């Protein structure tokens, strides 16, 4: 459940909308069904989406890893890509939230 900051109504989050912005950036957001206030969930760009695809592929590789060493190495790569995405998404949020 989500509580709207404006109208104070509770609602279930049923979908995330996407809006394309400049330079391949996408804003992912949801809307209060009562008052239509928009809330940004997160931003992505090509780098973030590319990293997300790599994380998915590495996750599949982890499932089929035949040694603990290989599994650990793949998990480390996933962790590094996830940390990189967090930094990039935080940067995008600072940049694009300041423009609203």
């Amino acid at each position: 459940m989500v509580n709207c900051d404006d109208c104070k109504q509770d609602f279930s989050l049923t979908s995330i909308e996407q809006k394309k912005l400049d330079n391949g950036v996408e804003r992912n957001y949801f809307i209060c069904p009562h008052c239509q206030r928009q809330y940004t969930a997160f931003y992505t760009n090509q780098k973030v989406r590319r990293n997300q695809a790599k994380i998915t592929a590495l996750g599949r590789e982890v499932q089929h890893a035949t040694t603990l060493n290989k599994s650990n190495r793949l998990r480390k790569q996933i962790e590094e890509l996830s940390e990189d995405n967090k930094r990039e998404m935080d940067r995008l949020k600072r940049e694009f939230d300041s423009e609203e």
Side-chain angles (χ1 to χ4, degrees):
M1 292 298 281
V2 178
N3 182 270
C4 180
D5 293 337
D6 283 353
C7 71
K8 307 301 182 205
Q9 297 291 314
D10 291 332
F11 62 95
S12 296
L13 185 59
T14 57
S15 68
I16 300 280
E17 307 289 326
Q18 284 186 341
K19 180 179 179 183
K20 294 186 185 299
L21 306 175
D22 296 334
N23 299 325
V25 174
E26 291 180 358
R27 176 180 176 241
N28 295 267
Y29 64 98
F30 57 94
I31 301 170
C32 172
H34 306 286
C35 71
Q36 306 307 307
R37 174 167 178 192
Q38 295 184 8
Y39 291 88
T40 299
F42 57 91
Y43 293 94
T44 64
N45 60 12
Q46 291 176 339
K47 178 182 179 180
V48 170
R49 292 188 295 274
R50 189 174 39 250
N51 283 351
Q52 288 171 331
K54 288 178 185 177
I55 289 168
T56 299
L58 289 168
R60 279 189 237 113
E61 285 187 52
V62 167
Q63 292 176 346
H64 298 99
T66 54
T67 66
L68 184 58
N69 188 34
K70 182 174 183 176
S71 176
N72 288 339
R73 186 172 38 81
L74 293 168
R75 289 178 196 275
K76 176 79 171 152
Q77 289 177 2
I78 290 170
E79 183 180 313
E80 290 170 356
L81 287 168
S82 295
E83 289 174 10
D84 188 39
N85 270 2
K86 180 181 180 337
R87 284 189 299 273
E88 184 67 7
M89 291 169 77
D90 287 346
R91 184 190 69 76
L92 290 168
K93 183 169 177 54
R94 284 190 307 274
E95 178 181 338
F96 284 91
D97 278 355
S98 68
E99 294 178 7
E100 289 183 355

